[in-house]
Amino acid sequence: MVNLILFGPPGSGKGTQAKMLVEKYNFYHISTGDMFRYEMGNNTPLGLKAKEYIHAGNLVPDSLTIEMLKARVIANKDVYGFIFDGFPRTTPQADALDQLMNSMGQNVNKLIALDVDDNEIINRLQERAKVQGRADDANIETVQNRIDVYKKNTTPVFDYYAHFDKSTKIEGVGSIDDVFGRLCTEIDNL
Ligand code: ADP
């Protein structure tokens, strides 16, 4: 199994790239953001709990997020490998993921961060708000808060895996195909 974390700020292209990687390498894609949107769309108890955090651009509490993620991984443990997109976003989530992988005799092979600067992110999220209509993209205060939360709570996850020599950064600006090519080079080198 090859297990990857696709990392980067909101709007860095993780979801777009993950879908292309799934087609090429047969990974199983887990996006915690997509899972929360599904739960909210269906007004499930988890969706109702997550809503206020997501609309404010804050992280959903670790306990809820980890429980949801674990259930999805365990239900799919025979796949070729996982792409984690939007998870882990805190160091306790990274700890939980490592424990889960270990319990399955697996590990995270690599974290690949898409490097995109703040101005580009804000532009992309404003464009995405028009196309996809996500409330958390449309409100500039929510967007700014997501960027702040990323810097404060999520960038330590890069350092967490760097400590095990597993983190790498690639240029996230350029055409979708260019970024995809850079990602494939990293994966092929594993
Ligand atoms: P983006 O990467 O564009 O911010 P996502 O779809 O990954 O979008 O996430 C949307 C929102 O869902 C986040 O702002 C956060 O509120 C919530 N969320 C997603 N993944 C996590 C996570 N691992 N931990 C906590 N909250 C999360």
Side-chain angles (χ1 to χ4, degrees):
M1 235 179 171
V2 175
N3 301 300
L4 280 187
I5 297 171
L6 205 50
F7 196 76
S12 56
K14 302 183 294 289
T16 305
Q17 297 294 336
K19 286 189 187 86
M20 292 166 73
L21 291 173
V22 164
E23 286 194 11
K24 176 161 179 181
Y25 295 96
N26 230 3
F27 284 112
Y28 185 85
H29 176 206
I30 299 187
S31 157
T32 43
D34 286 350
M35 291 176 76
F36 283 130
R37 279 185 286 280
Y38 176 84
E39 300 287 334
M40 290 191 295
N42 287 287
N43 285 316
T44 65
L46 175 59
L48 294 172
K49 280 185 206 154
K51 208 171 222 161
E52 57 172 307
Y53 299 99
I54 292 177
H55 284 170
N58 290 322
L59 296 179
V60 179
D62 283 340
S63 55
L64 294 176
T65 307
I66 290 167
E67 199 185 331
M68 175 179 80
L69 183 281
K70 270 190 184 169
R72 177 61 70 90
V73 168
I74 289 168
N76 293 281
K77 52 179 165 199
D78 297 324
V79 297
Y80 162 76
F82 292 99
I83 294 187
F84 297 103
D85 158 8
F87 186 95
R89 257 174 155 101
T90 63
T91 48
Q93 291 183 15
D95 267 327
L97 179 61
D98 281 0
Q99 278 178 32
L100 176 64
M101 289 283 118
N102 287 342
S103 73
M104 293 165 53
Q106 299 294 334
N107 64 333
V108 169
N109 299 82
K110 191 114 200 145
L111 176 154
I112 307 177
L114 301 175
D115 200 13
V116 180
D117 70 44
D118 288 4
N119 283 339
E120 172 78 13
I121 286 167
I122 291 170
N123 288 338
R124 286 188 190 183
L125 293 180
Q126 281 173 340
E127 284 307 306
R128 190 167 76 180
K130 291 180 204 154
V131 180
Q132 295 183 6
R134 269 174 60 173
D136 61 340
D137 288 342
N139 183 313
I140 189 67
E141 278 153 28
T142 303
V143 166
Q144 193 56 56
N145 192 40
R146 282 158 66 202
I147 295 172
D148 293 346
V149 168
Y150 175 78
K151 288 183 181 161
K152 180 164 174 271
N153 301 92
T154 305
T155 54
V157 173
F158 184 91
D159 303 329
Y160 176 102
Y161 287 101
H163 181 75
F164 301 104
D165 233 4
K166 290 182 176 178
S167 291
T168 192
K169 204 176 266 186
I170 64 166
E171 176 62 57
V173 181
S175 74
I176 290 175
D177 286 338
D178 285 347
V179 177
F180 185 62
R182 290 176 201 131
L183 274 171
C184 293
T185 303
E186 292 294 333
I187 294 169
D188 294 338
N189 283 337
L190 280 176

